[in-house]
Amino acid sequence: MDKKKEIFSLIIGFLGAMLGIFGVVIFNQYILMSLPLAFRMIMMIVAYWIPAVVPFIIMLRNKKPLSDYGFCKEHIFRQILIGLALGLAMSLVFTLVPHLSGYGEYVDSGKRYKFLWHFIYEFVYCIIAVGFTEELVFRGFMYGQHRIYSYQANEI
């Protein structure tokens, strides 16, 4: 793919991600709170994937291997387990333990967890929704497109 198409793909992907974030904010502000709790919990996770739609479509359209975007298939299951274990350990140490010790107001970003399931849901939400989207859009697509473009520019 030539440089102009790479830059165009990067711009469209970025604008699509930003439009997706705007859509999530509008959805959260006007629709989400009117839904029943169980459905709201699921929709919070699913809605956060919206910013990844346009970059993901561009990645599929470009037909480049995931390794061009910084992802590798080697030991993927182990990588995911290590990431989840580190995230869980840090959440336990830096959020749950202080909360249970009576210092929750200093570490829970105003969430004031009343039940353990609140903390568990927040962890799942941050990993599956926020983490997935940010890794795909920013580390994968935007950084990958930038790296591909920089590599091609250096060849000239």
Side-chain angles (χ1 to χ4, degrees):
M1 198 181 297
D2 66 355
K3 288 185 278 186
K4 288 181 183 179
K5 286 184 180 179
E6 293 288 342
I7 292 172
F8 183 73
S9 292
L10 182 60
I11 292 170
I12 294 300
F14 175 77
L15 292 176
M18 294 304 111
L19 186 62
I21 291 171
F22 179 73
V24 170
V25 169
I26 296 300
F27 175 78
N28 288 348
Q29 193 172 15
Y30 295 107
I31 299 171
L32 186 67
M33 295 312 286
S34 64
L35 302 173
L37 180 61
F39 193 61
R40 185 180 335 149
M41 292 171 69
I42 294 168
M43 289 306 297
M44 281 179 66
I45 293 173
V46 173
Y48 210 93
W49 293 345
I50 293 171
V53 170
V54 172
F56 187 69
I57 290 170
I58 291 172
M59 289 169 72
L60 289 174
R61 189 178 153 274
N62 290 344
K63 297 179 182 170
K64 293 182 181 174
L66 287 176
S67 60
D68 282 358
Y69 295 103
F71 299 104
C72 66
K73 293 180 183 178
E74 297 174 12
H75 311 292
I76 190 73
F77 188 69
R78 183 173 62 179
Q79 292 176 43
I80 292 170
L81 285 178
I82 290 171
L84 287 173
L86 287 172
L88 183 60
M90 291 187 336
S91 291
L92 290 173
V93 170
F94 297 125
T95 304
L96 190 59
V97 170
H99 185 74
L100 293 174
S101 302
Y103 298 101
E105 63 193 58
Y106 300 109
V107 296
D108 65 2
S109 302
K111 302 228 181 347
R112 306 294 182 259
Y113 304 117
K114 293 181 183 176
F115 303 103
L116 181 60
W117 72 267
H118 291 161
F119 172 77
I120 293 169
Y121 175 77
E122 185 75 19
F123 178 78
V124 170
Y125 170 75
C126 288
I127 296 296
I128 293 177
V130 177
F132 170 80
T133 302
E134 288 181 5
E135 286 295 309
L136 181 70
V137 173
F138 295 104
R139 184 181 75 111
F141 177 74
M142 290 187 191
Y143 181 71
Q145 284 290 110
H146 172 265
R147 194 171 49 85
I148 292 167
Y149 175 70
S150 296
Y151 177 74
Q152 289 175 346
N154 289 334
E155 286 181 344
I156 299 175

